[in-house]
Amino acid sequence: MVARPDPDELLRRVQAEASRAKRGKLTVFFGAAPGVGKTYAMLEAARSERDLKRDVVIGVVETHGRYDTAALCIGLDLLPKKKIDHKGVPLEELDTDAILARKPGIVLIDELAHANVEGSRHPKRWQDVEEILGAGIDVYTTLNVQHLESLNDVVAQITGVVVRETVPDSVLEAADDVRIIDLPPDELLERLADGKVYLPEQARRAIDHFFQKGNLIALRELALRRTAARVDEQMRVYQRAHGIDRAWPVAERLLVCLSPSPSSIRLARAARRMATELRAEWIAAYIETPAALRLPGADRARVATNLRFAEQLGAEVVTLSGANAAEETLRYARSRNVTKIVVGRPTYPRWREILRASFLDQIVRASEGIDVYVISGESDADGDGAAARTRADTTSSSRTSAVPYFASAAMVACAVLASWLLFGQSQLPDIVMVHLLAVVLVAMRFGYAASLLATVLSVLTVDFFFVPPYFSFAVTDFRHVVMFGVMFVVALVISGLAKRIREQADAARQREQRTAILYAMTRDLAIARSMEPLVAAATRHLHDIFDSRVAILLPGPDGTPKSTFEDPWSFVPDEKVAGVVAWVWEHEQAAGLATDTLPSADALALPLRGPQGKVGVLGMQPTDPRRFVDPEQRRLLELFASQVAAAIERVQLAGDAQKKQLEIEAERLRSSLLSSVSHDLRTPLAVVTGAASSLLEDEGTLPAHARRELLETIHEETLRLTRLVRNLLDMTRLASGALRVTKEWQPLEEIVGAALGRVEDRLGQREVKVDLPTGLPLVPIDAVLLEQVLINLLENAAKYTPQGSPIELVARASGEGKERVVTVDIADRGPGVPADELTRVFEKFFRLTREGKTGGAGLGLAICKGVVEAHGGRIWAENRDGGGARFRFTLPLEGDPPELAPPSLS
């Protein structure tokens, strides 16, 4: 049945294809065992591609001395291997840099599971292949089924050989093409006997151990099943892409419960196999209960290792928090629609289940429709030595101090003494309550184990000291036996409740601290408006959360990330870490400590990616090198890194937007200036040109007064041009930030007098009333600039008021201390300013329209505003009662004026 394709599925498919188009194609020649002909088939396919004119090179090919295989290499370019000195022994490895520099069409890389020599860029060859694929180069490679990570323990059980070199299943699953190279076991054994697989001595050892017919049959089945599962997955992808209904309406989803136990590795592998067979998603979960917060460091490290191992196998790893592990597991399982739960078999004695139901029992009883699979809790197939070391580590890590137990005994002794002094041997209920109080105090302060000891000691001491026959553990009255039983049970319940309350309080305290840090970091990042405070805030918070020194590296002028901000929580990357940072910046993937790329570095580097792309690199140098082995800590760090990247990009975008705004303003100013020049300069230039032409063409016919009028016209229009050009230049200085204010203590009277003298001809018959009190203090001003302000304001008053109307200029000092200012008013009796334009008159190129008046360029008041604000003052306009306008500005009186020497009498 064909249905309409799912649009979301089509979109995901298009996005996936677009992403894969940038990567090279991976072709895996997959076999059941060495000798089936994988390398031979790979070389034949490579020669076919070469015949199609593709650029094919050999990176690594292992012929194992086989002539037929070596013959196929003839005619193919062979890249030299990289020489590495390992403990004085020269060794050769795949040269990844040479391949990236050559950038061929196809590169042949044999033995995908090979482990590189120490000191190489990557520990495993498959990681080199991933980097080469990321550069857009196609790769042909070979792989045996025993090297798949999820089948490692199965192969060990079948063959008795533990394979050390493994490849994550996700690498094979991501391959574009998997070609199964199959050979029947009998033919393979014949090839081995004929020396076509190994040299004779190696062949004899192989036949005695790995290459037994039963082993080869089992490995062949594993390889065929694994390939069949891949083909089935391809078919299901095709069905979804083309809208074909699936035959299975309900999807399977597995949840495996991991713990600090070393058998969790076995659980993860079993869950992976089940998920593969069922074609299901699978989740690896660790439940962090309040009690788990106080696990020894070795156990916490083992939890991190187990989770990371499950993540490498392809699981979705989660860490959950809850008071009851079983309840939290089932709650999460139901929220994710889990159909099967995989747990380990309990390994502790059965008598512990009498006191409390086991995790397995709680899961089984409350599963309600979810299948529960129990896997045996045997140790991982790493040998008895590893298991012994694990047990030794667990034993050593579980040792606790004896102080709580001595304190418990001392608390019970105090209860006995207090009871003896207060009640003697007659008030048994009160004595029991005192001992129960001691148990509560011990449980609150020293934990559950110490409270159990206090419970037992309390029952024994009450019997010995306060129950007849005294000073004996014998009990003659059955009522006392019941009392002891009730006392013991109550003490146990109280101890358990106190333990739970204490654990919940500890967990709540940790959650509160984490939440507070998250909130503080988010707040500080949000309020940062420039890069330096943002980087300082991010560095400080990351240091507090992860107990690590931090380096936030941003791209410099040359495009490479550099550390430009230093504080007590940061570190400067050394040469090795700098190489890790450069690799992370180029490939946009995490590298360094606790990763599979350059893991020998002492710092972890993560790419900082914002919505618009990469913005920098985050370096973390933890105090505990194992901190970021925990996948949960890595995910938390990646979350913080994404927040920091988004904040950095926001600041960068804000800076870019500000630059763009400045460019827009500059362009607007340039356009307005050009418009002003074309409009306001045209009239006076035309007048000057006409008057000058008349004078030049005069042959003595013009009367003297006409010639004088023409000269006066030229003079007036020239002055007008001078004022306009001066205003344009001043406005340009203000807009570009080139205006510099040089303040000196000056008497305002001199500035006012100079300004009035320069505008005397433009004031005409107007009376200017000047009111400057004799006690007016000196003012810190730039005399030239302030004089220009007064000139512009006086010219503006003359321009918009009728001839003969008065103009007032008044100055007053007011305020105290730091609030002291000098206020200057220039008022007229003209028509005033419309109320809705009182604030706009100070905008650039804004001009009031008055009948019979030319508005000018509209820059005079804008210049006044810029100069006054550069002095730290403010300027505004208002209308006067009775008509007219008042322009007022203030000048702050900052500091103390110099003392003037008294005039000398001579």
Side-chain angles (χ1 to χ4, degrees):
M1 177 180 178
V2 179
R4 180 176 179 269
D6 183 4
D8 293 335
E9 179 64 28
L10 289 176
L11 178 61
R12 284 193 292 270
R13 183 183 177 191
V14 170
Q15 291 174 340
E17 289 178 353
S19 176
R20 293 179 71 88
K22 300 178 182 178
R23 285 172 53 88
K25 290 182 171 53
L26 175 62
T27 301
V28 179
F29 294 82
F30 190 58
V36 297
K38 300 182 300 299
T39 304
Y40 191 91
M42 179 179 69
L43 287 169
E44 282 189 325
R47 294 181 72 88
S48 298
E49 291 294 328
R50 188 200 60 177
D51 294 340
L52 297 175
K53 306 303 182 182
R54 295 201 64 185
D55 183 16
V56 182
V57 301
I58 296 176
V60 172
V61 166
E62 302 293 345
T63 63
H64 297 288
R66 296 190 289 267
Y67 174 80
D68 293 342
T69 304
L72 289 177
C73 296
I74 299 174
L76 297 176
D77 290 345
L78 176 63
L79 293 179
K81 297 180 181 179
K82 184 177 182 179
K83 300 185 183 299
I84 299 177
D85 183 74
H86 179 63
K87 298 180 180 179
V89 179
L91 299 175
E92 294 183 336
E93 287 290 357
L94 175 70
D95 194 340
T96 304
D97 291 326
I99 296 172
L100 295 175
R102 166 70 183 272
K103 203 172 180 58
I106 300 175
V107 60
L108 309 185
I109 302 177
D110 207 359
E111 297 185 358
L112 183 62
H114 172 76
N116 292 330
V117 177
E118 183 179 351
S120 301
R121 178 183 302 173
H122 301 291
K124 297 296 183 69
R125 182 170 289 171
W126 64 264
Q127 295 166 343
D128 295 325
V129 169
E130 284 293 317
E131 183 174 351
I132 293 169
L133 291 171
I137 302 171
D138 294 349
V139 176
Y140 282 5
T141 188
T142 62
L143 181 68
N144 289 324
V145 67
Q146 68 265 26
H147 293 295
L148 283 178
E149 182 60 63
S150 64
L151 299 176
N152 185 266
D153 55 344
V154 177
V155 172
Q157 291 178 6
I158 294 173
T159 64
V161 177
V162 178
V163 178
R164 303 295 180 182
E165 296 179 334
T166 58
V167 173
D169 292 60
S170 57
V171 175
L172 183 65
E173 292 168 356
D176 298 271
D177 186 14
V178 177
R179 304 183 187 181
I180 182 71
I181 309 301
D182 187 40
L183 193 66
D186 292 334
E187 292 186 23
L188 178 58
L189 289 173
E190 289 180 9
R191 286 173 52 81
L192 187 66
D194 294 341
K196 296 180 178 180
V197 179
Y198 295 129
L199 297 176
E201 182 63 29
Q202 292 177 308
R204 282 193 295 272
R205 289 199 303 268
I207 292 174
D208 294 338
H209 296 87
F210 189 87
F211 280 81
Q212 298 180 9
K213 185 173 181 180
N215 294 348
L216 297 178
I217 293 173
L219 292 175
R220 187 186 187 196
E221 181 181 0
L222 283 177
L224 293 174
R225 283 181 177 273
R226 191 69 181 80
T227 308
R230 173 182 168 81
V231 172
D232 185 69
E233 174 63 22
Q234 290 176 334
M235 176 58 69
R236 291 192 294 115
V237 170
Y238 177 84
Q239 289 176 331
R240 289 196 299 269
H242 291 79
I244 302 174
D245 290 343
R246 293 187 299 167
W248 308 277
V250 179
E252 296 279 5
R253 183 175 284 114
L254 274 70
L255 174 68
V256 58
C257 302
L258 303 183
S259 70
S261 171
S263 63
S264 289
I265 298 292
R266 184 182 181 86
L267 290 182
R269 286 175 174 157
R272 169 66 193 188
R273 292 195 300 271
M274 292 177 61
T276 301
E277 293 172 0
L278 295 171
R279 298 177 295 275
E281 300 178 25
W282 68 295
I283 305 166
Y286 169 66
I287 315 300
E288 190 175 60
T289 62
L293 296 175
R294 293 193 295 274
L295 279 176
D299 287 346
R300 295 191 67 85
R302 198 174 298 115
V303 168
T305 301
N306 295 341
L307 290 175
R308 188 180 181 192
F309 179 78
E311 188 175 41
Q312 290 177 344
L313 289 182
E316 176 187 350
V317 177
V318 296
T319 299
L320 308 174
S321 299
N324 185 287
E327 292 178 359
E328 185 63 25
T329 299
L330 290 170
R331 183 199 65 77
Y332 182 77
R334 293 190 178 95
S335 70
R336 295 294 303 272
N337 196 29
V338 168
T339 58
K340 302 181 187 301
I341 296 178
V342 181
V343 297
R345 179 179 63 84
T347 57
Y348 50 77
R350 285 190 61 86
W351 62 263
R352 289 182 54 181
E353 298 183 11
I354 300 175
L355 300 177
R356 184 179 181 182
S358 67
F359 174 79
L360 173 61
D361 185 60
Q362 295 179 64
I363 288 287
V364 171
R365 290 181 181 276
S367 57
E368 296 182 5
I370 301 177
D371 297 336
V372 180
Y373 290 80
V374 183
I375 307 300
S376 61
E378 297 176 2
S379 299
D380 187 34
D382 288 339
D384 295 337
R389 286 193 300 272
T390 300
R391 289 192 294 270
D393 292 342
T394 305
T395 302
S396 62
S397 64
S398 61
R399 294 174 184 171
T400 56
S401 172
V403 173
Y405 303 104
F406 285 114
S408 175
M411 187 67 72
V412 173
C414 292
V416 171
L417 181 60
S419 300
W420 189 277
L421 296 177
L422 294 175
F423 310 112
Q425 296 176 320
S426 59
Q427 301 182 32
L428 193 56
D430 296 330
I431 294 171
V432 170
M433 296 303 295
V434 171
H435 281 73
L436 289 178
L437 176 62
V439 172
V440 171
L441 294 177
V442 171
M444 292 176 60
R445 179 65 181 84
F446 299 106
Y448 189 63
S451 67
L452 290 180
L453 176 62
T455 299
V456 174
L457 292 178
S458 296
V459 172
L460 294 177
T461 53
V462 168
D463 180 24
F464 188 80
F465 289 104
F466 302 103
V467 175
Y470 301 115
F471 307 109
S472 169
F473 292 110
V475 180
T476 57
D477 192 339
F478 181 74
R479 292 176 300 173
H480 292 156
V481 176
V482 175
M483 180 196 71
F484 290 145
V486 172
M487 178 181 175
F488 186 78
V489 171
V490 170
L492 283 180
V493 172
I494 291 175
S495 299
L497 292 175
K499 169 180 173 288
R500 179 174 297 182
I501 292 173
R502 183 184 179 197
E503 290 174 347
Q504 290 177 348
D506 292 341
R509 189 179 302 110
Q510 288 194 7
R511 287 194 298 270
E512 180 184 3
Q513 291 175 351
R514 180 176 295 180
T515 303
I517 293 174
L518 283 169
Y519 170 76
M521 179 174 180
T522 304
R523 179 197 59 204
D524 291 349
L525 292 181
I527 63 176
R529 292 293 178 266
S530 60
M531 197 62 68
E532 187 170 357
L534 186 149
V535 171
T539 303
R540 184 178 70 254
H541 288 294
L542 289 171
H543 170 268
D544 294 340
I545 296 169
F546 298 102
D547 189 24
S548 307
R549 300 187 72 82
V550 184
I552 296 179
L553 303 102
L554 304 179
D558 58 352
T560 59
K562 297 179 180 179
S563 179
T564 55
F565 305 101
E566 296 184 10
D567 50 52
W569 306 280
S570 65
F571 73 98
V572 178
D574 56 20
E575 184 177 353
K576 193 169 188 178
V577 176
V580 176
V581 169
W583 191 90
V584 171
W585 175 253
E586 180 180 354
H587 296 84
E588 298 187 46
Q589 296 178 5
L593 183 68
T595 69
D596 294 327
T597 303
L598 303 171
S600 59
D602 63 353
L604 170 65
L606 289 89
L608 293 175
R609 288 188 293 264
Q612 304 295 326
K614 60 183 181 181
V615 297
V617 175
L618 171 64
M620 303 292 293
Q621 195 176 58
T623 303
D624 182 5
R626 298 175 300 177
R627 184 177 190 96
F628 295 117
V629 174
D630 185 355
E632 187 68 19
Q633 287 289 310
R634 282 283 299 276
R635 276 191 293 276
L636 186 62
L637 177 60
E638 289 169 0
L639 172 63
F640 277 98
S642 64
Q643 290 185 342
V644 172
I648 290 174
E649 189 172 74
R650 172 180 57 80
V651 172
Q652 290 178 343
L653 290 176
D656 293 342
Q658 186 176 7
K659 292 179 181 177
K660 293 294 183 183
Q661 186 63 32
L662 289 175
E663 292 176 1
I664 292 172
E665 289 293 332
E667 185 61 32
R668 286 178 55 192
L669 177 61
R670 189 178 300 110
S671 300
S672 300
L673 288 174
L674 291 173
S675 175
S676 176
V677 167
S678 64
H679 180 272
D680 294 303
L681 293 183
R682 184 165 49 196
T683 299
L685 285 174
V687 173
V688 171
T689 303
S693 298
S694 299
L695 290 174
L696 289 173
E697 294 173 358
D698 176 36
E699 296 180 355
T701 59
L702 288 176
H705 68 278
R707 293 174 58 86
R708 182 172 181 81
E709 287 178 1
L710 290 174
L711 291 172
E712 289 177 352
T713 299
I714 293 175
H715 180 259
E716 290 175 359
E717 295 303 327
T718 303
L719 291 177
R720 180 181 173 188
L721 285 173
T722 302
R723 291 195 300 272
L724 180 59
V725 171
R726 183 189 64 216
N727 285 340
L728 291 174
L729 292 175
D730 289 344
M731 196 68 249
T732 303
R733 292 170 62 202
L734 285 171
S736 64
L739 182 69
R740 296 292 182 265
V741 177
T742 304
K743 294 183 180 181
E744 294 181 356
W745 291 92
Q746 301 278 351
L748 197 59
E749 296 88 342
E750 293 183 3
I751 310 300
V752 171
L756 290 173
R758 290 183 58 183
V759 297
E760 183 176 0
D761 57 336
R762 293 186 290 278
L763 292 176
Q765 302 300 319
R766 296 174 181 83
E767 178 186 3
V768 179
K769 300 178 180 179
V770 180
D771 184 4
L772 301 177
T774 56
L776 196 66
L778 298 178
V779 185
I781 54 176
D782 187 314
V784 176
L785 294 177
L786 190 62
E787 181 181 333
Q788 186 62 50
V789 170
L790 294 175
I791 291 172
N792 288 356
L793 291 175
L794 290 170
E795 287 182 344
N796 188 74
K799 185 185 299 181
Y800 292 101
T801 57
Q803 288 287 345
S805 61
I807 298 175
E808 300 176 6
L809 194 157
V810 181
R812 293 286 186 271
S814 61
E816 296 292 338
K818 295 182 179 180
E819 303 297 328
R820 291 188 67 208
V821 296
V822 168
T823 304
V824 180
D825 287 352
I826 296 179
D828 60 54
R829 284 298 179 183
V833 181
D836 58 343
E837 296 180 348
L838 284 172
T839 57
R840 297 191 60 199
V841 293
F842 296 101
E843 296 178 4
K844 292 189 291 289
F845 307 107
F846 179 80
R847 293 177 285 192
L848 290 173
T849 303
R850 290 288 186 266
E851 185 177 355
K853 301 292 182 184
T854 57
L859 295 176
L861 293 180
I863 293 172
C864 293
K865 184 175 183 292
V867 171
V868 170
E869 290 181 348
H871 279 78
R874 67 187 189 95
I875 186 171
W876 68 97
E878 57 188 32
N879 288 319
R880 302 177 65 187
D881 295 336
R886 174 185 288 111
F887 289 85
R888 175 177 293 176
F889 64 89
T890 61
L891 298 171
L893 296 174
E894 300 173 343
D896 297 323
E899 295 184 2
L900 300 177
S904 59
L905 300 177
S906 57

